[in-house]
């Protein structure tokens, strides 16, 4: 059984460092206070086991907001609701709107990685 690897980052600097050194990143903007976020977190963790080529990151917006660490990140990645998922290739956001659901987005992202230059 693969070990899930979801990195839980708590500040903007560690987030920026993480995305700078990882080519393919899936971000989960989550909250412990929002039901949909709580329900999707196990799926995000499970997907991290199935796709080791992608680095998975979870940002708890409530914790980061209390420390005034989320505003810049949320603005950059256009987070308007929770949960929100973003997919990065070389720190650039890739839009998978319309693909349908987190699992499908990860599958498409994984396929795109196979054909990415330098992957």
């Amino acid at each position: 059984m693969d070990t899930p690897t979801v990195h839980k980052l708590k500040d903007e600097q560690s987030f920026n460092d993480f995305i700078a050194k990882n080519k393919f990143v899936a971000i989960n903007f989550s909250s412990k206070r929002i039901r949909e976020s709580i329900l999707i977190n196990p799926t995000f963790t499970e997907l991290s086991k199935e796709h080791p080529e992608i680095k998975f990151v979870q940002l708890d917006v409530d914790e980061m907001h209390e420390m005034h660490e989320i505003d810049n990140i949320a603005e950059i990645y256009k987070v308007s609701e929770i949960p929100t998922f973003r997919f990065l290739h070389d720190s650039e956001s890739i839009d998978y709107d319309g693909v349908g659901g987190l699992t499908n987005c990860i599958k498409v992202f994984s396929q795109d990685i196979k054909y990415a230059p330098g992957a």
Side-chain angles (χ1 to χ4, degrees):
M1 177 182 216
D2 293 320
T3 302
T5 307
V6 177
H7 303 272
K8 296 183 181 188
L9 305 177
K10 305 231 183 249
D11 62 72
E12 187 174 357
Q13 186 61 51
S14 62
F15 174 77
N16 290 336
D17 292 346
F18 187 85
I19 64 169
K21 67 180 181 181
N22 290 289
K23 193 168 186 72
F24 304 105
V25 179
I27 309 167
N28 175 5
F29 292 91
S30 68
S31 170
K32 295 175 187 149
R33 300 185 301 170
I34 298 176
R35 184 175 189 271
E36 293 83 1
S37 186
I38 294 166
L39 294 174
I40 198 73
N41 286 342
T43 301
F44 192 73
T45 300
E46 200 57 39
L47 289 166
S48 76
K49 295 177 191 178
E50 297 170 16
H51 296 280
E53 71 278 15
I54 301 169
K55 301 299 181 193
F56 288 73
V57 174
Q58 183 172 333
L59 301 175
D60 185 307
V61 296
D62 297 321
E63 288 178 13
M64 291 183 76
H65 182 72
E66 288 173 11
M67 298 184 305
H68 307 286
E69 293 285 344
I70 193 66
D71 296 336
N72 289 338
I73 299 170
E75 185 177 328
I76 290 167
Y77 295 103
K78 297 174 177 67
V79 177
S80 60
E81 61 185 290
I82 303 297
T84 291
F85 300 94
R86 294 291 182 250
F87 308 93
L88 308 180
H89 175 188
D90 288 332
S91 302
E92 295 294 322
S93 187
I94 301 170
D95 183 6
Y96 288 119
D97 290 346
V99 172
L102 174 61
T103 302
N104 287 338
C105 288
I106 293 291
K107 285 180 183 176
V108 172
F109 188 34
S110 180
Q111 288 297 315
D112 289 350
I113 288 170
K114 291 179 183 176
Y115 301 105

